[in-house]
RNA sequence: GGGUCGUUAGCUCAGCUGGUAGAGCAGCGGACUUUUAAUCCGUUGGUCGGGAGUUCGAUCCUCCCACGGCCUACCA
């Protein structure tokens, strides 16, 4: 690769130009991108071990360390300088001097730029102001940075740039790093939670010939060799239940699903979902399990069951309320009476006054659900399970034994948002076939989110799905909740944005 | 998709009623051997998101476009 080739077409900023000249000089002097420096020490480990150590002891028994990282701050003071480097664990200060580090190394160091990746060896000491530092004996530039860092005090605040150039956001903003470390820990603790309980983690296809398992518009793609249309999955549900048919009685999957719908503060086209299924259990078991899991994760991540989300103080420690849609509306909107909420005409008029469009043949339960979504959902700050969802809007859920109009289903709301959706699975293949047909008719009638008839799934159910409970949890939203992030984009490393330019 | 607010130096931001742009950080030069957003002195850097219009004159007013934030709709 020649240097001419990788020059950008646009005007080169003079800072970049200057740095390119430095890189050119490095190339002439030898290997500009060496990979023979081995780090022995992480910043945070050194702080943990030696922050409390007295300087006398450190000076008496010199501890030789090798650290590496990106230079974030540089303070040149004549013949001695301080530099702060940042590695994956944190920061450590280097003390670079004319006499100890050597005149030529020191002179070279003075021309290093903020953002350069350095490797240093030296001994630990504690400065007059009490900061553990490395008295550098040897110092090398491992990677030249050609572009200037964001401003050192304010960091990077431009939201577009944070999302597009996440690497810069991660370099400059510790808060961002913390969020994504927390995300990783949350997912790990979910994994631990299920594996500990005897669940098997599986991966099912993300490319589906028939999209199913949710009401949503899919992304479409095409396989050339098979000459076959495929859809990015909108949910893993139907495959996971096939696995339960196959004898994997406790399974879970944590991975991406895709929905071709609007983008907002709560929606990214690809999002991470946990789904888990357990045979010989029902939805009430799932609610108990969910409470236990959320408490456990919160304690692991935050050290407490108390979470603070966008000004709301929420404690997961108490048993979560469980209310039907109807009861929840009455509790949070006392102006509505039980009689009104069961009066079809009242509901239709109310929805019309709220400008809510619904299917003309919608049943009482469906109308209540519309009213609930509009008036009550956002008020559900403390954790609450909403139960007894209408069968019409739950094509994969088991009918309630006493009332076939509702299903054994719940959704969990926290901070006004749906966090989880679970139910006792519909394992009657003939009922499922009828429900699929209803969906197929709705699709023909123009409902773009209605699901397809999945004949293989019916065939699987005909082999016998044991009575099973299954649940899905939106991981991104859970991470938002636990990291106090206002937007889903703050918890997804590279959220979907419009094309640049 | 609809509404609304925004886009000024590499970054963080000022910029009055329309008179062609400033600061801090970063950079460059200088002083400084325990600083930590180091400090002090000097200094480079701009197609004011793009295009069109109004005007003697536009960063500023109008329109169109691009991108982004927020609200809203569908959804998890």
């Amino acid at each position: 690769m020649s240097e001419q080739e990788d020059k950008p077409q646009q005007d080169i900023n003079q800072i970049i130009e200057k740095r390119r000249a430095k890189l050119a000089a490095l190339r002439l002097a030898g290997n500009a991108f060496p990979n023979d420096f081995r780090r022995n020490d992480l910043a945070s480990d050194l702080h943990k071990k030696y922050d409390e150590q007295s300087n006398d002891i450190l000076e008496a028994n010199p501890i030789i360390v090798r650290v590496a990282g990106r230079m974030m701050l540089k303070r040149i003071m004549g013949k001695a300088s301080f530099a702060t480097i940042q590695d994956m664990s944190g920061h450590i200060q280097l003390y670079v001097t004319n006499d100890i580090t050597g005149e030529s190394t020191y002179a070279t160091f003075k021309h290093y730029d903020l953002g350069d990746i350095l490797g240093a060896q030296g001994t630990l000491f504690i400065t007059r102001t009490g900061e553990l530092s490395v008295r550098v004996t040897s110092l090398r530039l491992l990677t030249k940075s050609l572009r200037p860092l964001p401003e050192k005090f304010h960091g990077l605040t431009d939201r577009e740039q944070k999302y597009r150039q996440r690497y810069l956001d991660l370099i400059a903003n510790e808060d961002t790093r913390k969020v994504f470390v927390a995300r990783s820990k949350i997912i790990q603790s979910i994994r631990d939670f299920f594996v500990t309980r005897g669940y098997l983690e599986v991966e099912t296809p993300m490319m589906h010939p028939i999209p199913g398992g949710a009401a949503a518009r899919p992304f479409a793609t095409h396989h050339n060799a098979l000459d076959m249309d495929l859809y990015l999955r909108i949910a893993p549900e139907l495959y996971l239940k096939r696995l339960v048919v196959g004898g994997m009685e406790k399974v879970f999957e944590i991975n991406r699903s895709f929905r071709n719908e609007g983008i907002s503060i709560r929606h990214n086209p690809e999002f991470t979902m946990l789904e888990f299924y357990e045979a010989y259990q029902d939805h009430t078991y799932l609610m108990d399990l969910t409470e236990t899991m959320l408490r456990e994760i919160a304690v692991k991540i935050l050290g407490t069951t108390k979470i603070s989300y966008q000004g709301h103080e929420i404690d997961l420690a108490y048993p979560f309320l469980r209310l039907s849609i109807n009861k929840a509306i009455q509790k949070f909107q006392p102006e509505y009476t039980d009689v009104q909420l069961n009066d079809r005409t009242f509901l239709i008029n109310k929805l019309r006054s709220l400008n809510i469009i619904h299917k003309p043949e919608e049943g009482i339960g469906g109308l209540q659900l519309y009213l609930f979504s509009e008036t009550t959902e956002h008020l559900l700050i403390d954790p609450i399970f909403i139960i007894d969802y209408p069968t019409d809007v739950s094509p994969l859920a088991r009918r309630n034994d006493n009332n076939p109009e509702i299903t054994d289903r719940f959704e969990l709301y926290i901070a006004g948002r749906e966090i989880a959706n679970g139910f006792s699975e519909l394992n009657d293949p003939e009922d499922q076939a009828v429900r699929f047909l209803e969906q197929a008719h709705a699709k023909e009638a123009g409902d773009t989110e209605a699901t397809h008839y999945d004949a293989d799934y019916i065939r699987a159910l005909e082999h016998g799905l044991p009575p099973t409970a299954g649940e899905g949890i939106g991981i991104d939203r859970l991470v938002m909740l636990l990291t106090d992030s206002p937007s889903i984009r703050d918890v997804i490393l590279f959220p979907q944005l419009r094309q640049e330019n």
Side-chain angles (χ1 to χ4, degrees):
Chain A
M1 200 201 308
S2 79
E3 284 159 47
Q4 285 79 15
E5 273 171 3
D6 51 13
K7 281 199 174 173
Q9 296 77 16
Q10 295 152 339
D11 301 347
I12 304 172
N13 178 286
Q14 62 168 335
I15 293 173
I16 297 173
E17 215 165 9
K18 201 95 190 172
R19 292 189 178 200
R20 278 189 195 282
K22 289 181 184 176
L23 175 60
L26 286 172
R27 288 187 200 278
L28 287 175
N31 188 351
F33 293 91
N35 189 6
D36 59 344
F37 180 89
R38 298 292 166 255
R39 163 174 68 192
N40 292 334
D41 302 281
L42 285 176
S44 68
D45 292 342
L46 296 177
H47 284 298
K48 243 175 262 165
K49 275 198 215 162
Y50 302 111
D51 269 355
E52 304 307 318
Q53 193 70 266
S54 87
N55 193 39
D56 291 346
I57 293 172
L58 287 175
E59 299 280 14
N61 312 286
I63 296 156
I64 298 170
V65 298
R66 284 169 74 79
V67 293
R70 190 182 296 275
M71 182 164 65
M72 302 302 291
L73 293 170
K74 187 167 82 157
R75 296 176 287 280
I76 292 184
M77 300 174 348
K79 297 185 177 64
S81 298
F82 290 92
T84 302
I85 61 168
Q86 173 171 297
D87 67 21
M88 62 182 282
S89 75
H91 300 99
I92 186 87
Q93 180 169 265
L94 305 183
Y95 181 57
V96 188
T97 62
N98 210 29
D99 47 10
I100 297 163
T101 316
E103 267 182 45
S104 79
T105 301
Y106 186 69
T108 312
F109 163 77
K110 284 204 278 191
H111 290 98
Y112 290 168
D113 295 299
L114 294 187
D116 286 352
I117 313 268
L118 308 181
Q121 178 167 317
T123 55
L124 292 177
F125 76 108
I126 290 172
T127 64
R128 224 177 261 167
T129 48
E131 179 159 352
L132 183 73
S133 307
V134 179
R135 184 182 281 117
V136 173
T137 50
S138 69
L139 181 68
R140 289 174 66 194
L141 175 58
L142 303 180
T143 304
K144 184 71 199 164
S145 169
L146 296 177
R147 290 176 181 272
L149 286 176
E151 205 251 9
K152 66 183 175 189
F153 186 61
H154 297 93
L156 186 66
T157 60
D158 182 78
R159 300 187 79 85
E160 177 179 3
Q161 211 174 348
K162 278 163 70 76
Y163 300 145
R164 283 196 199 281
Q165 295 177 263
R166 185 67 88 180
Y167 43 89
L168 274 186
D169 187 25
L170 289 167
I171 290 169
N173 297 322
E174 192 181 356
D175 287 350
T176 303
R177 292 196 292 278
K178 278 187 183 159
V179 165
F180 289 102
V181 169
R183 180 182 174 117
S184 177
K185 284 183 179 161
I186 289 165
I187 291 173
Q188 191 57 50
S189 62
I190 291 171
R191 229 171 228 129
D192 292 345
F193 182 87
F194 284 102
V195 170
T196 302
R197 283 166 175 74
Y199 282 74
L200 190 70
E201 181 171 11
V202 296
E203 291 160 283
T204 62
M206 295 203 193
M207 300 171 79
H208 291 183
I210 300 170
R217 297 177 66 180
F219 287 94
T221 185
H222 187 78
H223 191 287
N224 290 334
L226 296 175
D227 188 22
M228 169 187 191
D229 288 333
L230 287 167
Y231 301 89
L232 300 189
R233 75 174 178 196
I234 54 175
E237 172 153 352
L238 301 185
Y239 282 91
L240 291 172
K241 282 191 276 191
R242 283 175 172 97
L243 295 180
V244 181
V245 170
M248 293 182 166
E249 293 167 353
K250 296 166 88 169
V251 289
F252 74 102
E253 178 166 7
I254 302 174
N255 221 317
R256 229 63 69 78
S257 288
F258 307 83
R259 297 188 184 176
N260 203 344
E261 286 160 356
I263 293 176
S264 80
I265 198 169
R266 285 182 293 278
H267 301 85
N268 195 62
E270 51 181 306
F271 62 102
T272 299
M273 192 155 57
L274 158 72
E275 283 204 7
F276 57 97
Y277 292 82
E278 178 164 347
Y280 312 112
Q281 292 294 0
D282 69 1
H283 64 301
T284 59
Y285 165 84
L286 291 179
M287 288 190 269
D288 293 340
L289 189 71
T290 303
E291 290 194 29
T292 305
M293 178 173 67
L294 291 184
R295 281 181 202 125
E296 215 169 272
I297 293 171
V299 169
K300 266 193 189 169
I301 304 304
L302 305 170
T304 168
T305 54
K306 292 188 175 70
I307 55 179
S308 173
Y309 186 74
Q310 303 295 299
H312 296 297
E313 303 302 322
I314 300 163
D315 196 341
L316 303 174
Y318 306 105
F320 300 178
L321 272 182
R322 301 178 185 190
L323 290 179
S324 68
I325 293 166
N326 179 2
K327 291 269 166 53
I329 298 174
Q330 289 179 61
K331 178 172 169 63
F332 289 90
Q333 302 279 348
E335 68 208 72
Y336 296 106
T337 66
D338 195 50
V339 173
Q340 287 175 327
L341 293 175
N342 284 294
D343 178 344
R344 198 155 186 283
T345 312
F346 172 85
L347 287 170
I348 287 174
N349 288 335
K350 194 75 209 168
L351 291 177
R352 187 179 300 137
S353 73
L354 293 167
N355 287 321
I356 298 168
I357 299 156
H358 60 85
K359 282 178 262 177
E361 74 279 13
E362 196 75 69
I364 289 276
L367 296 172
Q368 287 177 349
L369 184 58
Y370 277 112
L371 188 66
F372 166 81
S373 301
E374 181 68 19
T375 63
T376 309
E377 207 176 290
H378 64 278
L379 300 172
L380 306 178
I381 304 301
D382 288 321
I384 180 170
F385 289 110
I386 302 298
I387 56 175
D388 298 346
Y389 276 75
T391 304
D392 286 350
V393 296
S394 313
L396 301 166
R398 176 193 173 84
R399 289 180 201 270
N400 183 272
D401 287 343
N402 302 315
N403 179 1
E405 297 302 308
I406 61 172
T407 55
D408 289 340
R409 176 183 171 193
F410 65 87
E411 289 193 356
L412 170 62
Y413 286 86
I414 305 177
R417 290 172 185 173
E418 185 190 338
I419 295 291
N421 174 22
F423 40 84
S424 299
E425 301 298 336
L426 174 58
N427 64 341
D428 174 344
E430 292 173 354
D431 188 358
Q432 184 68 77
V434 170
R435 305 244 208 127
F436 272 162
L437 281 173
E438 284 167 0
Q439 287 285 310
H441 289 142
K443 193 162 203 64
E444 276 170 33
D447 184 346
T448 51
E449 285 170 2
T451 55
H452 293 72
Y453 189 96
D454 189 334
D456 177 71
Y457 180 68
I458 297 294
R459 181 167 62 181
L461 290 189
E462 285 169 352
H463 283 283
L465 171 68
T468 297
E471 179 172 340
I473 296 182
I475 296 298
D476 310 284
R477 291 188 180 173
L478 182 61
V479 176
M480 286 167 69
L481 193 65
L482 293 173
T483 58
D484 197 14
S485 300
S487 169
I488 197 168
R489 289 177 185 154
D490 297 323
V491 302
I492 291 175
L493 281 168
F494 298 98
Q496 199 61 51
L497 299 175
R498 234 174 267 263
Q499 221 165 21
E500 222 173 340
N501 299 326

